[in-house]
Amino acid sequence: MKNYLAEAIDLTGDSYLNPVPAVYDNGQHPRNINQITSISIHHDASFREHDYDSVARYHSEAAGHYSRLGPGLQYHYKIDNVGQIFQIRPLTTWLYSVGSFENVTTMAICLDGNFEFQQPTREQLEALYQLIENLCTQHPEFPATWPDVRSHNDFSATACSGANLRDRILPIQDQVSAQAQLLNVGEYDWPTYQPGYQVPTPPPPAVAVPVKTPDPIVPASTVPTPPVVPATPPPIVEPDKQTPCASEAPSPAPTQPTTPNWMQQLRDFFGTTQGRTVLGVLATGIAPALMYLQHFQTDNALLAAAVLAAVTLLNTVKDALNPNVPNK
Ligand SMILES: [Zn+2]
């Protein structure tokens, strides 16, 4: 694991983040180091980018603290996404960090990010562990130790330090529980900064597949032209064997209308004397029959007309079927 503590940056010389005591509440926020009885853990509740200017971020947050709380940034330590630890304020200055009377007796560590929605980076948790361990084991001058590491919401009603961080702070009671909660968890935001980082070997190059080269473009002048084949003259055929073109196909010869056999047989029959006699009998027989019907329906002029039409029709049919026989 990287030694984040050894690379901590001291920003106490930044007079905006850490105003000199002369301009800070009339220079009165000092405390004795042995007053420190807790270590409060915070998030800054702002979305944490993958790549950003950490000091510029703290100046922006300090501006908000100037207007709402008091001069300077109200955290003693900040930890950014790559686990960089910044000391902002001396521990002998108490800050408005937990919103209660315990402001005077706590020291504040704030991690960049909104842990209601984001996860702390693995670097942040490792750096936090190293900083807490140092404070709890290397500073016997103040009484705070492992069980005194508390999330901000343990001091006053707040969402700070965000669900994804405070659930890791609550179980901390000793070094072992702190390691269990803060080490070997989460994802590195910048794994390339970690010691022993192995540059991933690139995958072996894919087996080269021969690319079919397109056929070379041949200049038009060199494109071989197909040999000219002399046109074959049409075969000479006898005029009477000439095959007519489709467009010159002769119109079919008019065909004689075919007469059905039964009609021809009827015509043959009625062409005989016998046949004409039958027709005559039919014509003279139907007429009295229809007249007889008319007798019972004398007022039916239509029936009379039908009788006349039937007789006329029969005579016409008889003449039509015997075209060669003069009508009598
Ligand atoms: Zn807080």
Side-chain angles (χ1 to χ4, degrees):
M1 181 169 60
K2 186 176 172 181
N3 188 342
Y4 300 91
L5 201 59
E7 299 178 7
I9 293 176
D10 184 355
L11 286 182
T12 56
D14 186 320
S15 62
Y16 187 72
L17 298 178
N18 180 37
V20 295
V23 298
Y24 194 148
D25 282 6
N26 298 318
Q28 302 300 314
H29 261 199
R31 66 180 171 189
N32 289 322
I33 201 80
N34 61 10
Q35 288 180 266
I36 299 173
T37 57
S38 67
I39 299 170
S40 60
I41 309 299
H42 307 257
H43 70 164
D44 64 18
S46 295
F47 182 78
R48 183 196 64 237
E49 304 285 349
H50 177 59
D51 191 5
Y52 59 96
D53 183 332
S54 303
V55 176
R57 181 186 182 102
Y58 306 150
H59 275 244
S60 175
E61 292 174 5
H65 288 184
Y66 269 91
S67 61
R68 291 189 295 110
L69 301 171
L73 192 64
Q74 302 296 311
Y75 305 115
H76 293 94
Y77 292 94
K78 287 286 294 188
I79 300 176
D80 72 8
N81 62 321
V82 294
Q84 178 67 58
I85 299 170
F86 297 90
Q87 182 164 11
I88 310 293
R89 313 297 292 261
L91 298 183
T92 50
T93 297
W94 69 263
L95 307 169
Y96 296 107
S97 60
V98 293
S100 78
F101 67 94
E102 293 186 90
N103 282 331
V104 180
T105 59
T106 193
M107 69 175 67
I109 302 172
C110 178
L111 279 61
D112 296 357
N114 187 325
F115 302 135
E116 286 292 301
F117 309 105
Q118 293 181 287
Q119 291 290 340
T121 69
R122 187 158 174 163
E123 296 100 315
Q124 284 181 306
L125 295 177
E126 289 178 346
L128 177 61
Y129 171 80
Q130 290 182 11
L131 180 55
I132 292 172
E133 183 197 37
N134 177 267
L135 294 171
C136 293
T137 62
Q138 305 302 315
H139 291 270
E141 69 274 21
F142 57 77
T145 186
W146 297 108
D148 305 311
V149 177
R150 296 153 61 191
S151 174
H152 182 175
N153 68 293
D154 192 43
F155 294 82
S156 58
T158 176
C160 189
S161 56
N164 296 325
L165 180 56
R166 64 172 177 257
D167 287 348
R168 297 195 168 280
I169 303 303
L170 185 62
I172 293 176
Q173 292 297 317
D174 51 29
Q175 187 167 3
V176 172
S177 54
Q179 289 176 343
Q181 292 299 320
L182 303 177
L183 300 184
N184 301 310
V185 293
E187 300 291 330
Y188 285 121
D189 204 17
W190 289 85
T192 53
Y193 285 4
Q194 294 302 311
Y197 173 76
Q198 299 278 336
V199 177
T201 53
V207 177
V209 177
V211 179
K212 184 180 185 301
T213 52
D215 295 332
I217 298 174
V218 180
S221 59
T222 61
V223 173
T225 52
V228 177
V229 179
T232 309
I236 300 172
V237 294
E238 297 298 324
D240 59 343
K241 295 180 182 175
Q242 202 163 4
T243 305
C245 298
S247 59
E248 297 172 354
S251 54
T255 54
Q256 297 293 329
T258 55
T259 307
N261 279 343
W262 63 268
M263 188 176 284
Q264 188 60 47
Q265 287 169 356
L266 275 179
R267 182 175 288 169
D268 291 345
F269 172 72
F270 289 116
T272 62
T273 306
Q274 254 185 331
R276 285 189 285 115
T277 303
V278 169
L279 273 178
V281 168
L282 281 174
T284 52
I286 287 173
L290 291 176
M291 292 298 285
Y292 175 77
L293 286 174
Q294 191 192 19
H295 173 74
F296 297 99
Q297 300 182 23
T298 54
D299 57 343
N300 195 334
L302 275 179
L303 184 57
V307 169
L308 185 60
V311 173
T312 304
L313 179 62
L314 278 171
N315 282 322
T316 303
V317 169
K318 185 181 69 177
D319 295 340
L321 289 175
N322 301 280
N324 300 324
V325 178
N327 198 10
K328 290 185 182 175

